[in-house]
Amino acid sequence: MSEDRPFHALIVGNPFGEVFPPRPEPTIPTSEPRAIALEVLRGYLSELDFSRPGGRRESDGKREEPIAFRVPIENIHVEMPDNVVDLVHPSIAFEEASNGGEHEVIGLTSYLAESTKDKFGKGTVLQVQNGYVENFKLWVFTDEKPMRRAMLSRLMNKLSPTEQMYGIRFRMPEYYDEMVCFTVNRSSRPDDVDSANRRRRGMLEVEMRFNMVALVNAAEVLQIATTVEVESSDEDPLVLDTRVEGLFDPLD
Amino acid sequence: MPKIRPLTSAEAKRSLAHRLGVKVGDKVRQLATKFGIRPHRCFMVWGKWTGDARGEGTFEEVTRTELLPTPRVSSLDSVALDPRMAGVLPMGTIRVDQVSVSYTEDQLTGLKFAGGKHIKEPFDFFYEIVEDGRGDDPPPRARFRLSGKPFRRAGQVDWSILLERQSEDLDRDGVLRYEGDK
């Protein structure tokens, strides 16, 4: 028992396992996987090209080329930004689901992904703990209607791939290369008083799904096989007479 | 005793209050500007989008008219910086009064501007409050919309208007730009 952690000694059983000789935890996470997954999506969205309708030429009334634009990564927010950040148009923000994320059980207990043995450190392996599922809201902030329409249309397209089913998948290099999947489930364009003040919003409800894992120490079990040689004789089998005089003899 | 009847429009224009408002009131209010106690300039801006609807193409300013003499902008601090999911947004309403009675209601509501020209759809009209340059130079611009009917206060010989904060502000050089435009 560590003297500086007396409450650890009160834990019933050994839920986190131990290896011998003892080793410290291989790593202590500095961010939660939800934020890491959304940062990946944030980066992806900042690389998307959008376009809104162009004007009309005065000379012949023909439509000009669409106006291309991107949303700078500084204007895409994983969580509500601090007070020093101004809302500029266009912006994107992710809002957590009202009931948070579900932690879905995988099997009766956690299991070890043996393919990850020693991949993230010698003597370690990834333990898959549960599946995380959340239906968060992806908000789009624009001032004018054409920009809102352009952004929603493009986002719905680029989150619905052609050659994969059920959403777009990303690797998360910051989270043990685990995979996260995003699927668009719903869209809306809520209009209120703010809309007339050129503060329009569009919303996509997006399902995010990934496995929650932990990097744990692991010791390899050594299998020892014992071979027994038996010599078989041609003679009659030897019967040991174990009868004792005076005791019950079942052979009688 | 005068006969109980309304004034004709010609009589209303020649009334003491209206004439004093234009000839004397404006000159007296200009003194306030001269003394430096009217730091917030107020403009009416008319513009047009080059596309088929507002937000299509680019925004072009057609004309802007500054309210002169500089009116009194009160309670600019009532514009709150409201935290939202994607950052802070200025929200709120201000009152602008001591606006000269030389302006008409049609002008103050943006229906027509000096010269009486008409802008076809998709037009845009808004108010802009800009500091007079005593602080930041160039100063930031703040866009507002008319949130109530302009009120002619005959006794004070001025107009009083209510403005509500709106987006998107023009850049300091007066151009509407979006971050990320290529």
Side-chain angles (χ1 to χ4, degrees), chain B:
Chain B
M1 286 292 285
K3 187 178 171 187
I4 296 172
R5 62 174 180 86
L7 296 177
T8 63
S9 56
E11 286 171 333
K13 283 191 177 83
R14 288 197 311 267
S15 66
L16 182 64
H18 187 72
R19 283 186 292 124
L20 278 179
V22 176
K23 290 185 179 167
V24 177
D26 285 354
K27 288 188 170 72
V28 170
R29 289 186 189 123
Q30 183 58 32
L31 287 175
T33 304
K34 190 173 174 183
F35 294 151
I37 55 176
R38 294 285 182 267
H40 300 106
R41 298 172 69 178
C42 185
F43 297 85
M44 296 185 290
V45 182
W46 286 266
K48 191 179 177 317
W49 288 86
T50 57
D52 294 342
R54 273 178 288 280
E56 291 190 5
T58 52
F59 172 78
E60 292 175 348
E61 187 176 301
V62 173
T63 188
R64 68 169 48 217
T65 299
E66 182 171 5
L67 294 179
L68 291 173
T70 305
R72 182 173 62 179
V73 177
S74 49
S75 61
L76 207 55
D77 54 350
S78 67
V79 174
L81 298 177
D82 202 25
R84 296 291 179 93
M85 280 303 304
V88 166
L89 210 55
M91 307 275 293
T93 307
I94 63 171
R95 178 179 297 281
V96 177
D97 59 12
Q98 297 190 6
V99 176
S100 170
V101 292
S102 62
Y103 298 103
T104 66
E105 185 171 332
D106 279 353
Q107 287 172 321
L108 293 175
T109 54
L111 285 179
K112 68 178 183 187
F113 54 89
K117 285 185 184 170
H118 175 68
I119 309 176
K120 287 192 293 190
E121 282 274 27
F123 75 92
D124 216 344
F125 170 72
F126 55 92
Y127 279 79
E128 197 171 71
I129 306 287
V130 188
E131 203 184 57
D132 58 7
R134 68 183 63 188
D136 300 306
D137 195 10
R141 297 166 184 256
R143 175 176 171 146
F144 289 82
R145 72 168 183 97
L146 203 60
S147 78
K149 200 169 158 57
F151 177 45
R152 185 193 291 271
R153 303 191 298 183
Q156 281 120 302
V157 291
D158 73 349
W159 286 100
S160 172
I161 55 178
L162 277 177
L163 301 179
E164 187 173 0
R165 197 70 169 86
Q166 200 186 40
S167 292
E168 187 81 355
D169 297 333
L170 301 183
D171 279 357
R172 295 187 189 216
D173 59 359
V175 177
L176 179 60
R177 284 189 191 89
Y178 295 107
E179 288 184 28
D181 267 9
K182 290 189 173 175

Side-chain angles (χ1 to χ4, degrees), chain A residues 219-245:
Chain A
E220 194 156 355
V221 173
L222 296 175
Q223 289 182 329
I224 302 173
T226 303
T227 308
V228 177
E229 281 192 15
V230 176
E231 195 174 301
S232 176
S233 164
D234 292 334
E235 295 175 358
D236 289 338
L238 177 66
V239 178
L240 295 176
D241 189 356
T242 59
R243 287 176 297 178
V244 176
E245 196 168 332

Side-chain angles (χ1 to χ4, degrees), chain A residues 4-16:
Chain A
D4 65 343
R5 294 183 181 181
F7 289 97
H8 276 60
L10 302 176
I11 297 174
V12 175
N14 197 6
F16 299 111

